[in-house]
Amino acid sequence: NMYLENITVEEGNGRYLSFGGWLYEKIGGNELRLVHIPRASANADGKLIFPDTGEYILTEIASNAAYGIIQNYDNQGQIVFDGITEIEFPDTVRVIDDLAFNVCSAIKSVTFPAGIEYIGTRAFAPALNIQSITFNGILPPKMGENVFSNPFQRHLRLLVGVFGRVRKAVRHKLLQSVGNAAKLHLQF
């Protein structure tokens, strides 16, 4: 629903919680999987602001958690909601499932924490406006196919850790994840 702003979970629910109007699933101990960000969430207008989850730790972003959070226009064609344009994942996030940010085509910049282990197939596709991808770790994580797929992308700035070392195989994997049309600009 494109007008949904908040999700509330009844206190005492054994499986789900909500923080900042977002839906989370308990996945063991105090770890959480982000299940759904409402399409009209104020925290998803521009830079994605992850809500404080208290004693819980966000470790995973589920498939379609942020499906289709894009620009919305009023009747006169004026932008009334920017959609997600920038994401900086919390340091605790380790897994981003397939299609997690599917059809969030307004995203321009994504920053991954050093501990990211896996980014799923088409997690950010189609990445029509992506300009910058930053990995704060030494090497990029394991990735599914076409993570940032965009057939129109020609140039992409990729930052790999302060002391990152990019081997030929890693560069090849990143080229596969953005699609064959992209050129990677690696910056150290």
Side-chain angles (χ1 to χ4, degrees):
N1 181 329
M2 67 187 300
Y3 302 107
L4 181 65
E5 294 178 14
N6 293 292
I7 296 171
T8 304
V9 175
E10 266 188 52
E11 199 171 317
N13 187 304
R15 184 172 179 187
Y16 294 101
L17 295 166
S18 63
F19 295 99
W22 296 6
L23 181 63
Y24 296 84
E25 180 181 15
K26 299 174 190 176
I27 56 174
N30 65 340
E31 292 187 9
L32 294 174
R33 173 186 298 122
L34 175 58
V35 175
H36 188 71
I37 301 171
R39 289 178 76 182
S41 171
N43 287 341
D45 189 13
K47 182 176 182 177
L48 189 64
I49 308 294
F50 287 84
D52 180 12
T53 55
E55 65 189 71
Y56 292 93
I57 299 168
L58 176 61
T59 59
E60 185 176 340
I61 313 292
S63 291
N64 290 306
Y67 177 81
I69 301 178
I70 58 174
Q71 290 178 335
N72 287 317
Y73 300 86
D74 65 14
N75 292 338
Q76 286 76 40
Q78 300 296 313
I79 296 173
V80 294
F81 185 81
D82 287 326
I84 299 171
T85 59
E86 180 182 350
I87 304 171
E88 184 172 347
F89 289 99
D91 290 339
T92 57
V93 173
R94 295 189 316 254
V95 174
I96 300 169
D97 290 335
D98 298 350
L99 304 169
F101 291 85
N102 188 25
V103 194
C104 291
S105 56
I107 296 172
K108 295 177 183 177
S109 170
V110 181
T111 301
F112 297 99
I116 191 78
E117 297 170 4
Y118 178 75
I119 304 171
T121 296
R122 299 184 58 80
F124 297 91
L128 300 177
N129 291 296
I130 197 82
Q131 297 170 10
S132 175
I133 300 168
T134 304
F135 292 95
N136 285 323
I138 293 173
L139 291 175
K142 292 179 182 177
M143 290 189 244
E145 295 184 22
N146 300 311
V147 172
F148 303 98
S149 179
N150 177 1
F152 307 109
Q153 189 72 38
R154 297 288 181 243
H155 297 281
L156 180 63
R157 190 172 132 227
L158 176 71
L159 306 176
V160 181
V162 177
F163 301 104
R165 295 175 190 210
V166 179
R167 296 186 188 106
K168 202 175 209 179
V170 172
R171 185 175 187 276
H172 178 72
K173 182 68 175 172
L174 289 170
L175 279 170
Q176 286 179 328
S177 78
V178 295
N180 294 330
K183 287 184 182 177
L184 287 179
H185 294 278
L186 301 176
Q187 178 175 333
F188 298 92

